[in-house]
Amino acid sequence: MRTIQTHTSQKFEARIVLLVLVLLAAACIRLAWLDSAPLWWDEFVTLGRAKMALTDLWRSLSYQGPSDVSLDSSPPLLHTVIHMVLAFGGTSDAWVKLPSVLFGLAGVLILYPLGNRLLGGRSGLYSSALLGFSLFHIHYSREARPYALYLSLALCSLWLLLRALENNRFRDWAAYVLAAAAMLYSSYLGSASLAAQGGYLLLLLASGRLAPRRLVPCAVSLACAALAYVPWLPGHLFHMELIYSPTGGMGLNWDVLGRSLKEFTAYGYQGGFTFTGLYVAVALLGLARAFSRNRTGALLLCLWMGLPLVAALVLKTGIAVNPRYLINFVPGLALLAGAGLDTLTRALSLGLPDRARAVLALLAALALCWPGLATLPEYYRREQRPISYDLLQLAEDKANIEALAFVRNRHQKIFAQWYLPGVFGDFQTSADLGYRRYYLLAGADWQPENAGQFRTVGALRMRAGGMVNVSPMPLASAYQEDFSTLTMYREASSWDNAGPDLFQKTLSLYDPSRPGTALWRFNAPPGGFGGSLKLACRFRLTKSRATPPPDASVTILAGVGSGAMTPVATLTQADFRDGDSWKEELSLNLALPRPAGQLLDLAFALSPGAIHGSLEPVFFRLENTGSSPNANTADLAANPAATDASASMAATLLAHLRTRTELAQWRPGVKRIGDKALYAFSLDGLGDVPGAQPAALLPAFLAEYPGLEPVEVLGAAKGEPGVVLYDPALASPALSKSGHSSQALFAGGGKTPVESLVLNGVGGPFTLDFDGARLPALTLPPGARLALSSGAAGHLRLLPDYAQGPGQPFLNFGVVKAPAGECLTCQGENSCQLVYALECGLPIQKLRVQYCPEAYGEPGQSNGVTLAWSGDGNAYHTLDSFMVKDSELWEGKHRRIFTVDLKQPSRRVYLRLSLSGDKARIWAGPDTPMRLDAWCDAPGAVPLTTVENPFPITLPAGVEVFLSPRLLPDLDRLLPSH
């Protein structure tokens, strides 16, 4: 007896060792380069709600309430978990994905006892291996969505149900109730899984295999799990109503089902028909074994896999079918295939020892999954241009840009807040009414009327601008605002959590979870307010099932000066006609009481609302009917009185503006940096306006800054110019002067701190002097950018662009521009090389390369690109070798990323790209970015401290420098790892 127990113990210990090895391998696969793939939109939907307070998080998901992101048809459990993870200080993509990795590993682990209990033998061990090596499961274990969490809880509830039925202990039933309830809160697929478990219990009862003493705990446990879900039931029913479509189901028919099954099996095993068919054949063998040994267990597994399919066929929704909605099949097939492998190895053991047979079966499981595992390097490197990369370029070029404005106050805002915390300000409040430089960000799908002024960076379009605030506004003529531009920030006196939505052309909330207010202040015309004040407004209701009572509302308020605001009208959803259109508009015409003083305040207060189902102002017009109309611009030159009035109004506005920002005097050859100064010039025909520079100086100013657009035009009213304001920093945010001494003038006087500098261009070696402190001899490769911080570190960046050709690399051996586009190739069939030399004058400690190779799979001939580096130009070390053969297709053209930590820092690092011939290419351009980064570190080598105002500086030709009184933000974390 003792010998048998020892043998059994040894077998058990061997299985545990093998299971641990499987789990370690699965963990390594799921954790490797976890942040190499950026968060995609659905993951940002998860993140957007996870960042809320818990009460707001649950409330917003229960009825799709206020959120910065779009609808999310998921219960709140995963969002709650990620909320807790973020509370520990996680700020990277990997932190957001880490819970899914852990839940994915939990699913792999739980398959071991579940498989053993359901199917016997070593089925659980082999099933765990199959699930752990499934690329489909690997992918969803690395995604911040509920699928991995749901699967782990669904499998756990199945195992605990079987265990409770066998042991009939209170603790087992209690554990089952907790797992089943948590499963319901993880995904709406959980209801189908719970129904499958209930159906299994009914089958046991009908077949007489459920003992009477177990009937009561079964019923009570199912009831408790369902009752635990009752608090969320209204949210569940709301989402079912939200996705309901009377015209049909999810489009799931046998053809769609076949393609879906093929897609997720092919995605998981990447082996085409051969390996997919082999995997399914092994699973069918396991199914036959399951029915022969444990018919009820096999029926439970079939019910669990099949009921989501039935739900997809029965439910009438407008959602297109997706293989991830059939995710129960992934562990289900793994369980069946695990039983099939156990059957095969027992039948074909050929007298092998028990442990050897187990290892053989694990190798067979690995072989079934091998096509998918072989694609892991390309899976990790799969082509996804991350939004963080676009924001990185935006932040690196920010110079003295302070704030971000958005075409929509949602969606892109969450990207910027997540990836660039503290780098830019925003327009959420009017705390600062002084002059502010900003980037206006839009998606690539937005087509503004003045699209020529926008610059495209990956998935972003942006435009630099400057914003002055000229409130209070004179009400000499009718004032109107339609929220189609950013003029609200120019003319509103204050705002809190409200701003224009240029996409919808409405006044919207910046943070939809709290109320917002925008206030305009108007000065009375000469002689005071006369007659009556008429307000015409138009509002839009965007209807959706996603907004529950209470309805969103907008309140119009009016006041006199700084006195209390009085509600004039309140609009709710009930005020709109009950039509069928998705968007409805309603107009109001109101008479406002005439103020006794010289100021009138008008405000719009918005209640919290969702992205859909919102009520927002579209347009308003305020008219003082008792005032005389102003002269138009065409009459100014012919009417001296009108000209004097315009000049006077412009002078008044300038005097008001001077209290908020500095209006500088322009001097040829002198550049102001480090401040927010504006240059004001009178316009021809108006004479000299007090506070502005003469119009005669404007041509010379514009000759020094060709193509510079004005920031603002001030006059008696909109469209009647008197003074034009310019900001040269928007055209060239760096101090740029070539080949001779120039004066740079900081704001204020005395000493000004300098914490960072950025150099762009080409040149070197050259030196820069700061009040006698000399920097080391610096060097810039052609087109490079060098950022240095005070005292220590530097970062060199080079972004080659092959749209016009190779550019100016260090060496070029036979490389030419390919006719295919922004790529290079060899001049003929012979091999060629391109060499870059990275140096900045300081020792380089670390190197990072991102490049996009491509090659043609020629029969019998290997073509490709080899990347190597060298610290001395003689001994090269291979970083990557991309080679293809026989496919007769162009392969590659995906980003490949490599990082090198130099054991011995080098003043110059060489990068060599070797091409096999004209069947190999290297791509570099906006759609296929190539990037070379080098980090240098020499403590004390950059003596930036303070500089005297003004100070002389000498720059070589083609180099520009930007000085910053603050340390530049650390943006290295935005570079995707690999």
Side-chain angles (χ1 to χ4, degrees):
M1 178 67 68
R2 182 175 300 174
T3 302
I4 295 175
Q5 290 178 345
T6 302
H7 182 62
T8 303
S9 176
Q10 290 174 346
K11 290 171 61 178
F12 177 75
E13 291 174 359
R15 292 186 188 185
I16 294 301
V17 169
L18 292 175
L19 177 63
V20 169
L21 292 176
V22 167
L23 288 172
L24 287 175
C28 291
I29 293 171
R30 284 158 176 77
L31 288 169
W33 298 293
L34 188 56
D35 57 352
S36 63
L39 298 178
W40 70 294
W41 177 242
D42 280 14
E43 292 176 293
F44 270 109
V45 170
T46 302
L47 176 63
R49 284 183 167 78
K51 293 176 68 176
M52 296 179 175
L54 283 178
T55 53
D56 294 336
L57 185 161
W58 281 59
R59 186 171 64 252
S60 75
L61 281 172
S62 66
Y63 60 84
Q64 299 297 354
S67 172
D68 278 332
V69 291
S70 54
L71 304 182
D72 190 356
S73 295
S74 300
L77 185 55
L78 178 68
H79 306 76
T80 303
V81 172
I82 295 179
H83 173 90
M84 296 177 179
V85 169
L86 294 177
F88 285 98
T91 58
S92 68
D93 292 357
W95 268 94
V96 181
K97 297 179 181 184
L98 186 59
S100 292
V101 173
L102 299 178
F103 294 134
L105 291 174
V108 175
L109 174 62
I110 293 167
L111 223 58
Y112 175 77
L114 177 60
N116 289 342
R117 192 173 292 272
L118 262 181
L119 304 169
R122 290 198 180 88
S123 300
L125 176 62
Y126 307 149
S127 299
S128 292
L130 288 166
L131 187 64
F133 298 145
S134 163
L135 190 57
F136 194 98
H137 191 262
I138 291 169
H139 174 75
Y140 286 108
S141 298
R142 292 165 57 91
E143 187 175 272
R145 294 298 289 162
Y147 305 108
L149 171 62
Y150 158 71
L151 275 185
S152 63
L153 290 171
L155 293 170
C156 185
S157 66
L158 285 178
W159 169 57
L160 290 172
L161 175 62
L162 295 176
R163 182 172 174 174
L165 285 170
E166 180 180 329
N167 299 323
N168 199 27
R169 295 179 299 193
F170 173 80
R171 64 185 185 187
D172 293 326
W173 287 113
Y176 165 71
V177 169
L178 290 175
M183 173 188 68
L184 293 174
Y185 278 94
S186 66
S187 171
Y188 292 125
L189 294 172
S191 56
S193 290
L194 189 67
Q197 295 169 17
Y200 172 64
L201 294 176
L202 289 177
L203 286 176
L204 291 180
L205 184 63
S207 63
R209 302 188 63 177
L210 184 62
R213 67 178 183 276
R214 288 178 171 79
L215 180 60
V216 172
C218 283
V220 170
S221 298
L222 277 176
C224 287
L227 286 173
Y229 193 61
V230 166
W232 194 257
L233 192 58
H236 188 134
L237 296 176
F238 169 78
H239 282 85
M240 295 303 102
E241 180 186 0
L242 191 66
I243 64 176
Y244 172 75
S245 174
T247 57
M250 297 173 71
L252 184 59
N253 50 42
W254 288 111
D255 179 59
V256 173
L257 175 60
R259 285 188 284 109
S260 298
L261 293 176
K262 181 179 179 181
E263 181 176 339
F264 84 69
T265 51
Y267 186 33
Y269 311 107
Q270 298 288 320
F273 177 80
T274 301
F275 275 86
T276 302
L278 184 60
Y279 192 95
V280 172
V282 175
L284 290 175
L285 178 62
L287 182 63
R289 168 180 165 170
F291 270 101
S292 65
R293 293 195 172 188
N294 184 0
R295 183 180 300 274
T296 55
L299 289 173
L300 170 61
L301 192 55
C302 291
L303 275 173
W304 186 74
M305 294 168 63
L307 270 184
L309 290 178
V310 175
L313 287 165
V314 171
L315 290 177
K316 293 185 178 298
T317 74
I319 300 177
V321 70
N322 188 294
R324 63 177 177 265
Y325 303 144
L326 309 178
I327 200 168
N328 284 21
F329 269 78
V330 178
L333 284 177
L335 282 166
L336 294 175
L341 283 178
D342 191 42
T343 302
L344 283 173
T345 53
R346 287 177 183 275
L348 304 174
S349 61
L350 302 177
L352 290 175
D354 189 68
R355 295 178 185 176
R357 191 167 65 243
V359 171
L360 179 63
L362 286 177
L363 290 176
L366 185 63
L368 284 176
C369 299
W370 182 251
L373 295 176
T375 66
L376 278 176
E378 294 305 318
Y379 169 77
Y380 293 139
R381 301 181 192 279
R382 66 192 185 278
E383 183 60 24
Q384 286 181 282
R385 182 184 176 98
I387 191 69
S388 61
Y389 191 95
D390 303 331
L391 292 170
L392 172 65
Q393 290 188 244
L394 189 75
E396 287 181 333
D397 296 335
K398 72 166 281 191
N400 45 19
I401 300 292
E402 300 169 275
L404 292 180
F406 303 92
V407 167
R408 298 212 69 187
N409 287 321
R410 305 177 180 99
H411 295 355
Q412 288 173 339
K413 182 182 69 179
I414 192 174
F415 301 147
Q417 290 177 339
W418 177 248
Y419 287 122
L420 301 177
V423 177
F424 291 96
D426 56 45
F427 285 93
Q428 182 173 181
T429 67
S430 56
D432 180 11
L433 287 178
Y435 177 62
R436 303 179 78 186
R437 301 184 183 103
Y438 66 90
Y439 280 132
L440 174 62
L441 291 191
D445 58 343
W446 191 61
Q447 298 293 333
E449 296 177 0
N450 52 352
Q453 299 180 13
F454 277 74
R455 177 164 66 97
T456 300
V457 179
L460 296 176
R461 305 181 75 198
M462 65 180 184
R463 183 184 67 197
M467 187 67 67
V468 297
N469 187 273
V470 296
S471 63
M473 297 292 296
L475 198 59
S477 60
Y479 175 86
Q480 65 184 42
E481 171 65 77
D482 63 4
F483 307 107
S484 62
T485 65
L486 297 179
T487 54
M488 185 203 118
Y489 297 132
R490 172 193 187 270
E491 295 161 0
S493 181
S494 67
W495 60 88
D496 178 27
N497 194 43
D501 183 329
L502 307 188
F503 194 86
Q504 298 288 343
K505 297 183 179 179
T506 61
L507 176 65
S508 69
L509 295 168
Y510 193 91
D511 176 358
S513 65
R514 62 185 184 89
T517 303
L519 181 147
W520 283 260
R521 177 164 291 175
F522 299 96
N523 276 323
F529 293 104
S532 61
L533 291 169
K534 292 186 176 180
L535 177 66
C537 309
R538 190 164 71 249
F539 301 87
R540 179 183 300 150
L541 173 68
T542 307
K543 297 200 299 185
S544 170
R545 297 172 183 162
T547 303
D551 297 333
S553 65
V554 176
T555 301
I556 307 170
L557 303 103
V560 179
S562 58
M565 302 286 287
T566 301
V568 176
T570 297
L571 208 65
T572 68
Q573 181 172 336
D575 296 307
F576 289 77
R577 64 180 180 84
D578 188 15
D580 296 329
S581 62
W582 181 50
K583 293 184 178 181
E584 295 180 0
E585 294 191 356
L586 178 66
S587 296
L588 285 183
N589 291 292
L590 304 171
L592 302 183
R594 182 161 59 95
Q598 296 296 309
L599 286 176
L600 169 68
D601 288 348
L602 178 68
F604 291 83
L606 284 67
S607 66
I611 294 176
H612 302 291
S614 57
L615 175 59
E616 297 171 335
V618 178
F619 164 87
F620 77 91
R621 176 185 175 90
L622 181 64
E623 186 175 1
N624 181 18
T625 59
S627 62
S628 59
N630 220 1
N632 59 41
T633 307
D635 297 332
L636 291 177
N639 187 341
T643 301
D644 292 342
S646 181
S648 175
M649 182 61 70
T652 302
L653 289 172
L654 279 180
H656 175 65
L657 199 61
R658 195 183 291 276
T659 65
R660 298 178 177 175
T661 191
E662 183 176 1
L663 299 177
Q665 294 296 310
W666 172 67
R667 287 185 288 168
V670 175
K671 303 266 185 173
R672 295 180 64 100
I673 57 178
D675 65 2
K676 294 190 285 185
L678 289 171
Y679 298 89
F681 294 90
S682 299
L683 291 177
D684 287 333
L686 294 180
D688 293 339
V689 177
Q693 299 172 86
L697 293 178
L698 186 54
F701 174 82
L702 294 177
E704 187 167 326
Y705 299 102
L708 183 64
E709 296 289 332
V711 166
E712 187 58 79
V713 178
L714 301 178
K718 281 186 177 180
E720 299 180 2
V723 170
V724 62
L725 301 176
Y726 287 96
D727 180 8
L730 293 177
S732 177
L735 167 65
S736 178
K737 211 65 180 176
S738 301
H740 63 275
S741 180
S742 173
Q743 267 195 337
L745 184 63
F746 278 78
K751 294 277 188 176
T752 299
V754 176
E755 293 288 348
S756 307
L757 64 83
V758 177
L759 298 108
N760 295 299
V762 58
F766 56 86
T767 60
L768 296 177
D769 292 329
F770 293 94
D771 286 356
R774 174 170 292 189
L775 270 67
L778 301 175
T779 302
L780 287 176
R785 171 190 181 275
L786 174 62
L788 296 173
S789 61
S790 178
H795 178 201
L796 182 69
R797 180 200 74 185
L798 183 60
L799 301 173
D801 188 343
Y802 297 153
Q804 302 301 322
Q808 302 177 41
F810 181 71
L811 291 173
N812 179 2
F813 299 103
V815 177
V816 296
K817 185 180 184 305
E822 50 194 36
C823 60
L824 304 180
T825 188
C826 296
Q827 197 161 10
E829 294 183 357
N830 295 328
S831 61
C832 58
Q833 292 182 352
L834 195 69
V835 180
Y836 289 95
L838 299 182
E839 61 178 325
C840 62
L842 300 175
I844 294 175
Q845 310 274 350
K846 182 179 178 181
L847 184 69
R848 180 186 178 278
V849 183
Q850 173 178 304
Y851 81 121
C852 299
E854 186 183 35
Y856 181 74
E858 198 170 7
Q861 176 70 38
S862 292
N863 297 313
V865 181
T866 300
L867 171 67
W869 74 276
S870 172
D872 57 10
N874 295 316
Y876 277 86
H877 311 280
T878 299
L879 273 178
D880 182 39
S881 182
F882 175 77
M883 294 290 171
V884 298
K885 183 181 180 181
D886 295 334
S887 68
E888 298 190 35
L889 297 171
W890 284 97
E891 299 183 42
K893 201 180 174 181
H894 302 309
R895 64 186 178 100
R896 301 170 73 87
I897 305 172
F898 299 91
T899 302
V900 179
D901 291 306
L902 277 67
K903 295 181 180 178
Q904 295 294 328
S906 176
R907 292 275 175 173
R908 176 183 282 189
V909 176
Y910 299 89
L911 287 170
R912 185 178 68 192
L913 292 156
S914 302
L915 289 75
S916 61
D918 58 3
K919 297 297 189 297
R921 300 170 181 166
I922 313 168
W923 290 81
D927 297 326
T928 51
M930 181 177 183
R931 180 173 176 133
L932 312 178
D933 293 272
W935 287 266
C936 46
D937 189 7
V942 187
L944 301 179
T945 52
T946 58
V947 296
E948 193 74 38
N949 291 326
F951 69 95
I953 185 170
T954 302
L955 295 175
V959 175
E960 57 185 13
V961 61
F962 167 70
L963 307 178
S964 172
R966 297 174 298 276
L967 281 173
L968 295 174
D970 176 19
L971 302 172
D972 298 345
R973 62 185 175 80
L974 298 186
L975 290 168
S977 66
H978 223 292

